[in-house]
Amino acid sequence: MINYVDRGAIASNGVNGSSETCDDKGICKSGSGIQGEFDLTNFQDGLLSSAFMVGLLVASPIFASLAKSYNPFRLIGVGLSVWTLSVAGCGSAFSFWFIAICRMLVGVGEASFISLAAPFIDDNAPVSQKTAWLAMFYMCIPTGIALGYVYGGYVGGHFHWRYAFWGEALLMLPFAVFGFLVKPLQLKGFSPVESKKALASVETVSSVTDDSKASKLDGRMLVGGDGIIGDELSKTSKSESIHNILNQLSRFAKDMKVLLVDKVYVVNVFGYIAYNFVIGAYSYWGPKAGYNIYHMKSADMLFGGVTIVCGILGTISGGFILDRMGATISNAFILLSGATFLGAISCFSAFCLRSLYGFIVLFAVGELLVFATQAPVNYVCLHCVRPSLRPLSMAISTVSIHIFGDVPSSPLVGIL
């Protein structure tokens, strides 16, 4: 929730602000927020909303792979610690590039839990309520962004945009600490402890093999391989490290190949990409569009309020409906198709209206239907692959929907 509050806060008028404007007489009105303080173009402003993708893209596959060898909650603790420091850095930014780098590192925090939280929930939820539990988790995305609009609008408007980021860092700090203190977690499909033991046994066998080979060398070892000099030990250690890295990369490549030839997974992710391209443009530019098109004086509050209500009701409804239909991949696709089609028609019709009230009604209906897709689409990602691939499937899905979806949509719509 706090991760997505940050995403909404930086898009709010109170934090994001506006650039300097001049009228025909040459009288200029100073800008506000981040855009006004650093004198950003709309393209640069759009880049700030997308910068987190760099950290997410790099860190997601790494966290998903490390989950096979390390306690996932420790990895989440590391990611959220980076997130906390980065958000605090955003509040202390002194230039566009400094805040852009901090926004990149914010993505590391999301990467740490987005690939691990869904498998954890799916493992622990009652069989008849798995999709509903997932829905409650993914409800935090639209609700968090919407709360961010309200939070950013209030803090930025009454205090200063920098205080919004510092407040987020303080809110996240206990969760980062919790990641280091909570008991070890075991996911289905693999056990971190067993993986470590297996890795240790491989290293031991490798070491013994290397010793037996080295004992044949010309007098540089003790007879029988009972001793070894420093430079040989160093070489052996380096070769083992390289061997382990190559093994990790080889395993990652094989897992990726399995995902990419899975037609159900690929079709699901492609649909999710298109969905996020549209949602990304709305979530970042929506408050500004409402402010300029419908002259909403409190666009942050209105957009935030409608999205909070529709996000909660729509996302949870999608989960409960799929559980009632019977949580299968075919039923999930039926629900995805119907909700997306009807939701898109409602949202498109809303923007065609001149009336503010007509817009709000139709857009609320559209949001209810569109957000109902959150649980089914992630259910498919989890259940179309074998359990050991679930963290990677969630990581690649998340990376794909951002790098091809909401990340390019914000700056592209900024140019348009």
Side-chain angles (χ1 to χ4, degrees):
M1 178 76 76
I2 298 170
N3 178 81
Y4 283 94
V5 163
D6 173 72
R7 199 80 61 79
I10 197 171
S12 70
N13 283 310
V15 171
N16 185 264
S18 59
S19 57
E20 183 182 62
T21 55
C22 298
D23 59 20
D24 296 336
K25 298 178 181 178
I27 300 173
C28 295
K29 184 180 178 181
S30 61
S32 62
I34 295 172
Q35 191 173 16
E37 185 158 336
F38 298 120
D39 193 24
L40 307 182
T41 64
N42 280 341
F43 177 69
Q44 289 176 313
D45 193 21
L47 282 179
L48 284 184
S49 76
S50 306
F52 77 95
M53 186 57 216
V54 177
L56 187 69
L57 176 64
V58 173
S60 287
I62 294 174
F63 281 121
S65 298
L66 289 177
K68 294 187 176 183
S69 305
Y70 298 94
N71 175 15
F73 273 129
R74 301 293 179 270
L75 299 176
I76 290 174
V78 171
L80 294 186
S81 297
V82 174
W83 191 97
T84 302
L85 292 172
S86 302
V87 169
C90 290
S92 307
F94 53 84
S95 70
F96 166 72
W97 286 110
F98 186 88
I99 196 170
I101 291 170
C102 287
R103 298 309 299 172
M104 292 177 193
L105 292 173
V106 163
V108 176
E110 181 176 352
S112 69
F113 64 78
I114 203 68
S115 59
L116 304 172
F120 166 73
I121 292 169
D122 194 71
D123 287 351
N124 291 278
V127 176
S128 62
Q129 297 177 5
K130 284 184 181 293
T131 321
W133 280 42
L134 280 173
M136 290 178 188
F137 176 71
Y138 285 103
M139 176 192 74
C140 295
I141 296 177
T143 310
I145 291 175
L147 279 174
Y149 292 156
V150 177
Y151 168 79
Y154 182 82
V155 175
H158 289 77
F159 303 99
H160 195 275
W161 64 266
R162 295 181 185 274
Y163 286 98
F165 291 117
W166 293 333
E168 290 168 9
L170 288 174
L171 287 171
M172 184 64 87
L173 185 58
F175 295 99
V177 174
F178 177 79
F180 292 107
L181 299 180
V182 73
K183 69 178 182 179
L185 167 68
Q186 180 175 326
L187 296 174
K188 283 182 183 176
F190 52 83
S191 167
V193 176
E194 290 173 359
S195 296
K196 285 182 180 178
K197 287 180 180 177
L199 186 61
S201 66
V202 168
E203 290 175 353
T204 302
V205 171
S206 176
S207 178
V208 171
T209 305
D210 289 343
D211 284 352
S212 64
K213 288 179 181 178
S215 64
K216 298 176 183 178
L217 295 176
D218 51 352
R220 298 192 71 190
M221 280 189 66
L222 296 179
V223 178
D226 293 330
I228 187 167
I229 62 176
D231 63 334
E232 290 294 340
L233 182 61
S234 176
K235 289 178 183 177
T236 303
S237 178
K238 287 179 182 178
S239 66
E240 286 177 2
S241 297
I242 294 171
H243 183 67
N244 288 335
I245 291 172
L246 290 175
N247 276 343
Q248 288 276 3
L249 291 174
S250 175
R251 184 167 60 182
F252 175 75
K254 288 177 182 177
D255 289 345
M256 281 297 299
K257 184 179 178 181
V258 172
L259 287 180
L260 293 177
V261 297
D262 190 317
K263 293 178 182 177
V264 174
Y265 180 78
V266 171
V267 167
N268 190 55
V269 171
F270 272 134
Y272 206 10
I273 288 170
Y275 165 91
N276 271 273
F277 188 93
V278 178
I279 293 295
Y282 154 70
S283 64
Y284 194 72
W285 295 109
K288 284 191 177 183
Y291 184 80
N292 287 286
I293 297 171
Y294 295 105
H295 308 291
M296 300 178 190
K297 292 183 179 179
S298 55
D300 291 338
M301 299 294 180
L302 186 56
F303 268 75
V306 171
T307 307
I308 286 171
V309 174
C310 295
I312 292 173
L313 294 178
T315 310
I316 292 180
S317 296
F320 277 108
I321 290 170
L322 183 57
D323 281 334
R324 285 295 181 91
M325 291 172 65
T328 63
I329 288 176
S330 58
N331 282 344
F333 274 126
I334 290 171
L335 182 56
L336 283 172
S337 301
T340 306
F341 182 70
L342 296 174
I345 290 175
S346 297
C347 290
F348 179 77
S349 301
F351 278 102
C352 293
L353 295 180
R354 293 288 181 186
S355 167
L356 172 61
Y357 298 106
F359 167 83
I360 291 173
V361 170
L362 273 178
F363 200 74
V365 172
E367 280 197 320
L368 278 170
L369 290 164
V370 166
F371 286 133
T373 63
Q374 286 292 316
V377 76
N378 287 289
Y379 175 88
V380 174
C381 275
L382 282 172
H383 291 273
C384 69
V385 299
R386 63 176 184 264
S388 62
L389 282 178
R390 292 188 307 175
L392 184 62
S393 76
M394 297 304 298
I396 298 304
S397 170
T398 303
V399 167
S400 300
I401 65 174
H402 288 312
I403 197 169
F404 300 114
D406 55 3
V407 166
S409 72
S410 297
L412 285 176
V413 171
I415 292 173
L416 185 64

